[in-house]
């Protein structure tokens, strides 16, 4: 029970660093999957521009699969941490088992979409036959073999809930290394492996995800001894599933809104394929930076949830304070990197005709990172104390209510010829600043109603 004692007794600032660093590395490596694919695909001998555009179009569905897996895991994480904080190991076993049952259902849905829905989805965003063919092939492979990313997401959160975030990072590292090794082999054709282009990138990605999932399954069954394991605990329990999604559904919607936002932005930018590709490439860099905040959020949530289960006012307050401070520091580093090295990233992706648009996006949108990171930290704090609705509202503001109408409005000025493409990018800083102000109001409300009364 040493891990649970650590959650209870270790000073929160040290605990957050100890748990946060592996989670941050884990999320950063998760973002590496898409960056690595784009970097290798962008340097293909032929068709690289079309291939980069194809990866931009499939990205929202990849994000959606991750959203459902991670969102279910976030609900499991917070509920499991709270249950263990209350000392209820029997319920903890059912929470873990039901999350895996939900994983099976999620995979079935992804499989059916991969078989029947992929082509219609890609064709809604492009009329280029080469982009359509590449995007369909890539996405079909990712959906049909999506059980790797789904179960990795669940086992990762089960390990994080018990304070064993280091092992989830090990699994993520193994998957990333497998992906990086296989990408050039399968994309370009090295040794006995034939040249497969974008299909090779897809196979390298899913093989890496499956490797991560298998390793984390072993860690989960061998190390999570605070509760029992077994098929009997996978029997659906309506009350537990309801509790998981009471916490996790807002997180799913929050991450699913990212997919909707990218999809609609692709439609807004459809008038300029180069701008569309530039946005897709930048979004992968942006996700790399924001995933640092997501990783820290995944430390903030179980730490505060455990303290909330213990009814420890001081540990909750420390979790909020240090969570926000550490997030701001991470985002300052992210802004510095993206502002100083936009040309290096453009060269990495071999951005071609999209280079100028990509660099302008880097310069402008990265201004929003500090505010976006604070919003992510706010959502982790809300979720840890049953503040799912507040989390959902922030997500809706950031990724739907403000950003898309504003971007569409600015695009009208661009299409009329009265402004350049870079005007559209300003929608992002404006959106994050407004959302951050609303988020602060919600934080004050939660502190007053749920922390101060303890």
């Amino acid at each position: 029970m040493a891990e649970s004692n650590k959650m209870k007794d270790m000073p929160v600032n040290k605990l957050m660093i100890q748990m946060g660093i592996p989670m941050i590395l884990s999320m950063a490596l998760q973002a590496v999957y898409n960056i690595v694919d784009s970097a290798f695909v962008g340097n293909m001998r032929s068709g690289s521009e079309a291939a980069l555009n194809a990866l931009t179009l499939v990205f929202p569905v990849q994000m959606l699969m991750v959203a459902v897996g991670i969102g279910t895991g976030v609900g499991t994480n917070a509920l499991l941490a709270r249950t263990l904080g209350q000392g209820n190991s029997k319920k903890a076993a059912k929470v873990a088992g039901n999350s895996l049952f939900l994983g099976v259902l999620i995979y079935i849905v992804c499989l059916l979409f991969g078989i029947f829905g992929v082509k219609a989805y890609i064709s809604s965003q492009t009329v280029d036959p080469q982009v359509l063919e590449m995007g369909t092939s890539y996405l079909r492979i990712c959906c049909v073999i999506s059980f790797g990313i789904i179960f990795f997401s669940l086992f990762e959160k089960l390990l994080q809930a018990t304070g064993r975030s280091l092992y989830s990072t090990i699994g993520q590292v193994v998957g990333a290394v497998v992906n990086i090794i296989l990408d050039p082999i399968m994309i370009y054709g090295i040794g006995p492996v034939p040249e497969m282009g974008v299909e090779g990138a897809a196979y390298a990605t899913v093989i890496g995800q499956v490797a991560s999932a298998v390793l984390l399954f072993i860690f989960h069954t061998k190390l999570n001894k605070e509760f029992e394991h077994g098929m009997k605990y996978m029997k659906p329990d309506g009350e537990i599933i309801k509790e998981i999604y009471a916490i996790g559904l807002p997180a799913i919607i929050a991450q699913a809104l990212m997919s909707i936002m990218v999809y609609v932005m692709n439609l807004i930018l459809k008038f300029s394929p180069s701008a569309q590709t530039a946005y897709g490439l930048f979004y992968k860099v942006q996700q790399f930076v924001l995933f640092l905040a997501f990783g820290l959020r995944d430390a903030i949530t179980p730490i505060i949830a455990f303290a909330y289960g213990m009814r420890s006012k001081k540990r909750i307050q420390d979790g909020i304070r240090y969570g926000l401070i550490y997030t701001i520091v991470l985002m300052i580093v992210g802004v510095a990197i993206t502002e100083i090295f936009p040309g290096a990233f453009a060269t990495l992706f071999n951005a071609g005709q999209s280079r100028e648009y990509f660099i302008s996006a880097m310069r402008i949108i990265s201004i929003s990172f500090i505010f976006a990171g604070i919003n992510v930290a706010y959502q982790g704090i809300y979720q840890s104390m049953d503040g799912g609705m507040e989390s959902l509202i922030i997500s809706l503001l950031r990724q739907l209510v403000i950003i898309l109408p504003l971007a569409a409005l600015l695009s009208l000025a661009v299409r009329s010829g009265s402004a350049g493409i870079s005007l559209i990018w300003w929608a992002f800083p404006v959106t994050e600043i407004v959302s951050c102000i609303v988020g602060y109001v919600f934080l004050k409300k939660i502190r007053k109603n749920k922390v101060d009364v303890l």
Side-chain angles (χ1 to χ4, degrees):
M1 301 298 291
E3 298 293 338
S4 291
N5 291 337
K6 178 176 72 176
M7 294 284 282
K8 180 180 178 182
D9 299 326
M10 182 179 285
V12 170
N13 59 335
K14 294 181 181 179
L15 178 62
M16 194 165 289
I17 291 173
Q18 189 179 99
M19 289 182 63
I21 288 175
M23 293 180 186
I24 290 165
L25 292 174
S26 178
M27 294 298 287
L29 287 167
Q30 187 169 311
V32 163
Y33 278 115
N34 294 305
I35 291 178
V36 167
D37 278 356
S38 295
F40 282 116
V41 164
N43 288 280
M44 285 166 45
R45 284 179 290 185
S46 63
S48 61
E49 285 276 339
L52 284 174
N53 198 0
L55 293 192
T56 295
L57 303 185
V58 306
F59 193 47
V61 173
Q62 290 180 290
M63 291 167 60
L64 185 59
M65 291 190 292
V66 171
V68 177
I70 288 183
T72 303
V74 165
T76 302
N77 181 335
L79 181 58
L80 185 59
R82 189 181 310 157
T83 304
L84 290 172
Q86 294 165 345
N88 190 343
S89 60
K90 184 176 180 180
K91 182 179 178 181
K94 291 183 178 180
V95 171
N98 273 253
S99 73
L100 301 181
F101 165 77
L102 293 169
V104 174
L105 295 185
I106 294 165
Y107 170 63
I108 291 171
V109 173
C110 293
L111 174 63
L112 292 174
F113 177 79
I115 296 171
F116 300 110
V118 166
K119 189 170 184 179
Y121 165 77
I122 299 294
S123 63
S124 72
Q125 301 173 86
T126 184
V127 293
D128 186 317
Q130 187 179 20
V131 174
L132 176 60
E133 180 185 356
M134 287 180 169
T136 301
S137 299
Y138 184 97
L139 186 54
R140 180 163 288 138
I141 292 166
C142 289
C143 289
V144 170
I145 315 179
S146 59
F147 55 83
I149 186 59
I150 291 166
F151 284 99
F152 166 79
S153 300
L154 294 174
F155 288 128
E156 177 186 45
K157 294 296 183 285
L158 289 170
L159 287 163
Q160 289 173 359
T162 58
R164 296 182 173 89
S165 53
L166 174 62
Y167 295 96
S168 66
T169 303
I170 292 171
Q172 186 71 270
V173 169
V174 169
V177 170
V178 169
N179 183 27
I180 291 169
I181 292 172
L182 291 181
D183 255 331
I185 294 172
M186 304 184 90
I187 293 172
Y188 307 138
I190 297 175
V193 179
E195 182 178 349
M196 290 187 280
V198 292
E199 289 189 1
Y203 281 120
T205 295
V206 296
I207 291 171
Q209 291 167 349
V210 170
S212 293
V214 170
L215 189 56
L216 291 201
F217 167 72
I218 295 170
F219 288 152
H220 168 67
T221 54
K222 299 293 185 184
L223 299 175
N224 276 346
K225 299 297 187 182
E226 287 85 355
F227 50 88
E228 295 183 8
H229 308 278
M231 293 288 290
K232 65 181 180 180
Y233 295 111
M234 289 181 65
K235 181 180 178 182
D237 184 314
E239 283 301 313
I240 287 177
I241 292 173
K242 182 179 177 181
E243 285 187 80
I244 288 174
Y245 282 121
I247 304 166
L249 186 59
I252 291 174
I253 295 172
Q255 298 221 24
L257 285 172
M258 294 183 196
S259 300
I260 295 170
M261 183 184 75
V262 175
Y263 176 71
V264 176
M265 284 296 297
N266 285 339
L267 296 180
I268 291 171
L269 296 169
K270 193 175 180 179
F271 70 93
S272 172
S274 293
Q276 197 179 54
T277 300
Y279 173 67
L281 293 176
F282 171 75
Y283 196 83
K284 294 174 184 181
V285 177
Q286 174 181 279
Q287 286 300 90
F288 181 79
V289 176
L290 292 186
F291 271 24
L292 304 180
F294 290 149
L296 188 56
R297 178 204 64 190
D298 288 344
I300 293 170
T301 301
I303 287 171
I304 298 179
F306 198 100
Y308 191 55
M310 291 170 53
R311 299 184 63 79
S312 172
K313 183 176 179 178
K314 182 180 186 305
R315 291 183 71 81
I316 294 171
Q317 291 173 332
D318 286 348
I320 294 171
R321 180 186 307 114
Y322 290 112
L324 290 171
I325 291 171
Y326 295 160
T327 297
I328 291 170
V329 170
L330 281 174
M331 293 301 97
I332 290 172
V333 173
V335 171
I337 291 171
T338 50
E339 290 288 347
I340 294 170
F341 302 111
F345 282 104
T347 301
L348 172 68
F349 293 128
N350 191 22
Q353 296 178 6
S354 305
R355 182 183 180 92
E356 181 183 344
Y357 295 148
F358 173 78
I359 290 177
S360 70
M362 289 276 281
R363 295 284 193 201
I364 295 168
I365 302 178
S366 62
I367 296 169
S368 68
F369 287 168
I370 293 175
F371 304 100
I374 292 171
N375 285 325
V376 170
Y378 282 159
Q379 291 177 292
I381 295 166
Y382 304 156
Q383 290 162 6
S384 66
M385 293 182 285
D386 297 325
M389 185 54 64
E390 288 84 354
S391 178
L392 175 58
I393 291 171
I394 294 299
S395 295
L396 287 169
L397 291 176
R398 293 180 61 220
Q399 292 154 343
L400 189 67
V401 174
I402 301 175
I403 182 69
L404 295 180
L406 183 56
L409 184 64
L410 295 175
S411 75
L412 293 178
V414 174
R415 295 173 74 172
S416 69
S418 60
I421 290 286
S422 60
L423 179 65
I424 298 175
W425 310 142
W426 283 102
F428 292 85
V430 172
T431 296
E432 295 294 356
I433 290 169
V434 173
S435 301
C436 194
I437 293 169
V438 176
Y440 177 72
V441 173
F442 286 159
L443 180 62
K444 288 186 68 175
K445 174 187 169 186
I446 285 179
R447 270 181 156 162
K448 179 180 178 181
N449 296 337
K450 297 191 175 182
V451 181
D452 294 344
V453 297
L454 293 177

